[in-house]
Amino acid sequence: MHAMWSSWAPPLERSKLLSISYAGAQLGTVISLPLSGLICFYMNWTYVFYLFGIVGIIWFVLWIWLVSNTPETHTTISHQEKEYILSSLKNQLSSQKSVPWISMLKSLPLWAIVVAHFSYNWTFYTLLTLLPTYMKEILRFNVQENGILSAVPYFGCWLCMIMSGQVADYLRAKWNFSTVCVRKVFSLIGMIGPAVFLVAAGYIGCDYSLAVAFLTISTTLGGFCSSGFSINHLDIAPSYAGILLGITNTFATIPGMVGPVIAKSLTPENTIREWQTVFWIAAAIDVFGAIFFTLFGKGEVQNWALDDHHGHRH
């Protein structure tokens, strides 16, 4: 999607456009968790895969039919809109045929995104895979309640992503906040905020309502990152945003493999104290990522990503 948006999203509209598109993942989680619980309860777990597989095929057909690579190749876009998009991106994109791999991999702003992405995903994947277990073993919800309540935090995150994208672009366009300032502030809120409430959730015992509230607030605040480091690839190198996302997402998928395994090994008895350790580890990694990105993140197109090798600030 980053590769697509690099040709479609005007700089001052990136936050809201990308946050809306990526919020779809959260909305999908909101729908799929309770629906999967109901399907497993009333039918069979295999139907979960059949249903979502069919939905994926339908999406693919619609994508092929409706989507174009660039504004120039879109058949129904208005001339005014096309010119607006192209003119807003003319000083942002590079026409270089070769990818500046060495300069790219030596770029500290890129590694700032890598660290932030890795740190954020540690908490995200840990909760995504183990939150139903926490709901069942610690809070004692049944499979139907589990699916619905496990989805509540992601509904909050979906709303936060939509709203934070609007606010981020408003601050940049109307209040002249620099891009780097907005990206860093939103990343700090979206990583340190969840860390605080995640740790707090481990110290309220079996207070069901408060536990769900804290976990919901934690996941909701994570939505701010959609207008923080998550789209910073497009700020520092829009022509190579797809490649940059591939690099950062490669590292960011490691928590999806390692995080849940570590969390599972730390909770053999599923006690509250064991879950406190899981939450503390996730919070510490989140805070580290937020601080690293704040120190080394950038908001302007990097020299190596431009034809003329002169950065442009937005």
Side-chain angles (χ1 to χ4, degrees):
M1 286 305 299
H2 271 43
M4 286 291 297
W5 281 121
S6 66
S7 299
W8 280 94
L12 292 178
E13 296 183 40
R14 280 178 184 151
S15 302
K16 59 185 177 185
L17 290 175
L18 270 78
S19 63
I20 290 173
S21 64
Y22 284 118
Q26 308 300 326
L27 185 60
T29 304
V30 171
I31 296 172
S32 63
L33 280 175
L35 186 57
S36 297
L38 291 172
I39 292 173
C40 290
F41 187 81
Y42 288 108
M43 299 171 67
N44 186 284
W45 64 267
T46 57
Y47 287 95
V48 174
F49 294 90
Y50 297 147
L51 175 63
F52 294 131
I54 292 171
V55 171
I57 293 172
I58 294 173
W59 167 85
F60 175 73
V61 172
L62 291 174
W63 175 273
I64 295 298
W65 180 34
L66 298 173
V67 175
S68 298
N69 286 335
T70 64
E72 294 99 321
T73 59
H74 200 283
T75 57
T76 60
I77 190 174
S78 69
H79 177 75
Q80 182 181 8
E81 183 179 8
K82 181 171 71 173
E83 288 303 312
Y84 166 65
I85 295 173
L86 295 177
S87 63
S88 69
L89 295 172
K90 66 179 180 180
N91 293 324
Q92 295 255 317
L93 302 176
S94 171
S95 59
Q96 296 182 78
K97 298 295 184 181
S98 59
V99 178
W101 288 107
I102 296 177
S103 298
M104 182 184 294
L105 295 175
K106 289 167 60 178
S107 176
L108 189 55
L110 169 60
W111 290 104
I113 303 174
V114 169
V115 173
H117 202 168
F118 177 96
S119 303
Y120 175 84
N121 273 18
W122 186 284
T123 300
F124 177 80
Y125 282 125
T126 298
L127 286 180
L128 182 64
T129 55
L130 295 180
L131 186 57
T133 302
Y134 181 77
M135 294 285 191
K136 177 184 177 183
E137 301 296 336
I138 302 299
L139 303 182
R140 304 298 179 184
F141 291 117
N142 63 41
V143 65
Q144 290 170 288
E145 292 175 316
N146 198 336
I148 296 171
L149 290 172
S150 294
V152 170
Y154 298 99
F155 178 73
C157 186
W158 173 70
L159 287 176
C160 186
M161 289 177 71
I162 300 295
M163 292 187 293
S164 66
Q166 302 292 325
V167 173
D169 281 344
Y170 180 81
L171 291 174
R172 295 165 68 220
K174 302 298 182 181
W175 289 81
N176 293 319
F177 276 60
S178 67
T179 297
V180 69
C181 177
V182 171
R183 299 292 180 245
K184 290 181 177 181
V185 170
F186 277 55
S187 294
L188 284 170
I189 297 172
M191 296 178 78
I192 293 181
V196 171
F197 282 96
L198 188 60
V199 170
Y203 288 88
I204 44 83
C206 292
D207 187 328
Y208 310 140
S209 58
L210 199 56
V212 172
F214 279 7
L215 289 171
T216 298
I217 293 172
S218 176
T219 308
T220 296
L221 290 175
F224 277 93
C225 287
S226 66
S227 297
F229 74 83
S230 291
I231 61 173
N232 193 224
H233 317 70
L234 282 160
D235 299 322
I236 65 172
S239 293
Y240 308 106
I243 296 174
L244 297 191
L245 180 62
I247 294 172
T248 66
N249 212 30
T250 297
F251 287 94
T253 54
I254 295 174
M257 298 179 286
V258 177
V261 173
I262 293 177
K264 195 70 176 176
S265 67
L266 292 172
T267 56
E269 305 297 329
N270 273 310
T271 65
I272 293 178
R273 184 172 294 277
E274 290 173 345
W275 279 97
Q276 288 173 353
T277 303
V278 171
F279 291 158
W280 268 110
I281 291 174
I285 293 174
D286 240 357
V287 170
F288 173 77
I291 293 173
F292 194 93
F293 182 76
T294 300
L295 291 175
F296 302 112
K298 297 293 182 182
E300 62 272 358
V301 181
Q302 299 299 288
N303 291 342
W304 51 265
L306 291 164
D307 287 330
D308 58 6
H309 302 295
H310 292 289
H312 296 267
R313 188 171 186 79
H314 307 288

